[in-house]
Amino acid sequence: MTDTSSSFPQGDGRPADGLQGRAGADRVPEERGRTTVADGVVEKIAGTAARDVPGVHALGAGMSRTLGAVRERVPGGGRASVKGGVKVEVGERQAAVDLVVVVEYGVPITEMAGDVRVSVISEVERLTGLEVVEVNIAVDDVHLPEDEDDTESRVT
């Protein structure tokens, strides 16, 4: 049995399936194939961009931050996950980002959230080419200066 529905060009340069357009060497490289970006890649980019914003102490909810801090202190335990506190949904052309943030005490939350949105949107769009349709931010905690002293004395 022979398949006659091939999309390879016919002798006249048109695809056999009747689709119009440029084929083969006539097409620019950007049109030859498809690029997909994994959710984990977008999570890392978004997490890094959010952490770079002044006033963001950490990402993630209380328990995941605690486990990350313990993991960092154990020899060979590795460093904290860049993706912690970040969840994304990635489609073919768009992405949505959810962040859980711990804010430094004294930082205006609405200003910090706006700065995080700008940073995350610009980095994800610049590095992946995806359109970021929303960045949702949940402020889970406020980091107080004395919190660090308590943590160091309890976890040794």
Side-chain angles (χ1 to χ4, degrees):
M1 175 181 256
T2 305
D3 180 12
T4 59
S5 64
S6 168
S7 62
F8 290 106
Q10 297 177 353
D12 62 1
R14 291 182 301 123
D17 59 8
L19 295 176
Q20 299 298 318
R22 297 183 297 182
D26 294 336
R27 292 173 42 204
V28 293
E30 293 83 10
E31 296 175 356
R32 296 184 198 180
R34 198 174 97 194
T35 302
T36 57
V37 180
D39 292 9
V41 171
V42 177
E43 286 173 348
K44 285 182 180 181
I45 294 168
T48 301
R51 282 181 182 82
D52 288 344
V53 173
V56 173
H57 176 72
L59 296 179
M63 185 54 94
S64 67
R65 286 193 329 270
T66 302
L67 291 174
V70 170
R71 192 178 317 119
E72 283 180 359
R73 292 173 188 226
V74 173
R79 41 174 249 219
S81 170
V82 177
K83 302 184 299 185
V86 183
K87 183 178 181 302
V88 302
E89 292 181 32
V90 179
E92 285 186 34
R93 294 186 180 97
Q94 297 178 325
V97 180
D98 295 325
L99 301 168
V100 178
V101 178
V102 177
V103 150
E104 292 286 348
Y105 179 79
V107 172
I109 292 172
T110 55
E111 290 177 25
M112 179 274 316
D115 293 345
V116 167
R117 282 188 182 91
V118 168
S119 179
V120 168
I121 290 169
S122 64
E123 283 299 284
V124 170
E125 288 184 348
R126 181 179 73 84
L127 294 173
T128 67
L130 295 167
E131 174 192 5
V132 178
V133 294
E134 65 182 5
V135 176
N136 300 309
I137 300 170
V139 178
D140 182 64
D141 199 359
V142 174
H143 177 258
L144 302 172
E146 60 267 13
D147 286 350
E148 232 167 81
D149 296 335
D150 291 344
T151 304
E152 288 178 10
S153 64
R154 281 187 276 152
V155 181
T156 51

